[in-house]
Amino acid sequence: MSRARLVALDVDGTLMSYDGVISDGVREAVAGLCDAGVHVVLATGRSAISAVPVAHDLGLTDGWVVCSNGAVTARLDPDLDDGYEITKVITFDPGPALRTIALELPDALYAVEDVGFGFLVSGEFPVGELQGEHKRVSFDELTRTSATRVVIRSPQSTPEEFHALVERVGLHEVTYAVGWSAWLDLTPGGVSKASALEEVRQRLGVEPFATAAVGDGGNDREMLQWAARGVAMGHASEAVRAVADEVTGTIDDDGALEVLRSLLV
């Protein structure tokens, strides 16, 4: 058995294909790790109400889930209503960032996560892109809502344009991650999947050398650097692959499966 005792796994583009499929091989490998006493922790940009069903689908019914890019931590427990409880929430005032970005992207869609409910939104997002309930509110109300996560969707913008925008407006008090060509996530400053995972690691009493992580997105960079063994998916950007200790296959190759199986050796 590998020396890893805590394995952090991104969901979309890592465990789950872009059409929402998790392979039987991945399910079996996750079950094998759990049977061996390894702590398998999902670490995702998804909200808790979206991440927990994925955990349950993988057979994870107790343990921890890191949600909202580290701003929300949930504890799985089959004896609780819905099978989990929120144990930590970190928020920030999204007003300054939202108002500044709206000047640059007035036609974008904006959403503020409402923990345990879904999202407050400025307009209608495409079906399936944001999980949970949606409540349409005025932009002013969005700016006044304490947030764990803000989503900005602008199909006309590229990742490069998003990065340039963030640099131009100087988002110093929030952490940002470009998820795909039309997507920008903002989370509280200094908060990341890695910061939440470090708290989980300490709570579980796992040594730093006994950690591993797999991910593919810009919001996974800190997590891959945090882990003793950080593995980037083969389709990840060059910036993500550059901070990883190794690179596995792409999501089309089910590259995470190779890593999970290696942890069982």
Side-chain angles (χ1 to χ4, degrees), residues 75-141:
R75 183 179 70 87
L76 300 171
D77 185 334
D79 294 328
L80 295 174
D81 291 342
D82 299 322
Y84 76 102
E85 65 176 349
I86 301 296
T87 61
K88 186 166 185 177
V89 175
I90 303 174
T91 62
F92 71 104
D93 173 10
L98 281 173
R99 285 189 289 268
T100 300
I101 293 177
L103 291 175
E104 302 273 347
L105 299 173
D107 297 325
L109 289 173
Y110 297 89
V112 172
E113 184 177 62
D114 185 359
V115 176
F117 170 81
F119 289 87
L120 304 178
V121 299
S122 65
E124 186 174 347
F125 277 70
V127 175
E129 285 192 358
L130 291 178
Q131 293 75 31
E133 299 294 328
H134 298 175
K135 179 182 179 182
R136 188 164 182 171
V137 299
S138 68
F139 184 79
D140 283 343
E141 184 171 342

Side-chain angles (χ1 to χ4, degrees), residues 53-194:
V54 177
H56 289 167
D57 185 44
L58 284 164
L60 303 173
T61 57
D62 55 54
W64 300 89
V65 179
V66 169
C67 313
S68 305
N69 294 319
V72 176
T73 301
R75 183 179 70 87
L76 300 171
D77 185 334
D79 294 328
L80 295 174
D81 291 342
D82 299 322
Y84 76 102
E85 65 176 349
I86 301 296
T87 61
K88 186 166 185 177
V89 175
I90 303 174
T91 62
F92 71 104
D93 173 10
L98 281 173
R99 285 189 289 268
T100 300
I101 293 177
L103 291 175
E104 302 273 347
L105 299 173
D107 297 325
L109 289 173
Y110 297 89
V112 172
E113 184 177 62
D114 185 359
V115 176
F117 170 81
F119 289 87
L120 304 178
V121 299
S122 65
E124 186 174 347
F125 277 70
V127 175
E129 285 192 358
L130 291 178
Q131 293 75 31
E133 299 294 328
H134 298 175
K135 179 182 179 182
R136 188 164 182 171
V137 299
S138 68
F139 184 79
D140 283 343
E141 184 171 342
L142 286 182
T143 65
R144 297 193 301 269
T145 303
S146 185
T148 54
R149 174 183 170 214
V150 170
V151 173
I152 300 156
R153 188 185 192 280
S154 176
Q156 295 76 29
S157 302
T158 66
E160 293 75 21
E161 288 169 336
F162 264 141
H163 282 299
L165 168 61
V166 169
E167 293 298 321
R168 187 165 62 250
V169 303
L171 293 177
H172 301 301
E173 296 182 3
V174 294
T175 301
Y176 70 94
V178 177
W180 49 293
S181 61
W183 198 276
L184 176 66
D185 271 357
L186 303 178
T187 50
V191 172
S192 67
K193 293 182 182 182

Side-chain angles (χ1 to χ4, degrees), residues 4 6-10 14 41 43 197 210-216 220-233 244-246 248 259-260 263:
L6 191 166
V7 179
L9 302 171
D10 173 52
T14 298
V41 179
L197 285 166
T211 57
V214 190
D216 74 311
D220 294 317
R221 292 180 63 185
E222 295 91 347
M223 177 177 79
L224 299 183
Q225 292 173 303
W226 164 85
R229 181 187 178 190
V231 184
M233 297 293 288
D245 299 301
E246 58 190 90
T248 187
V259 182
L260 296 175
L263 295 169

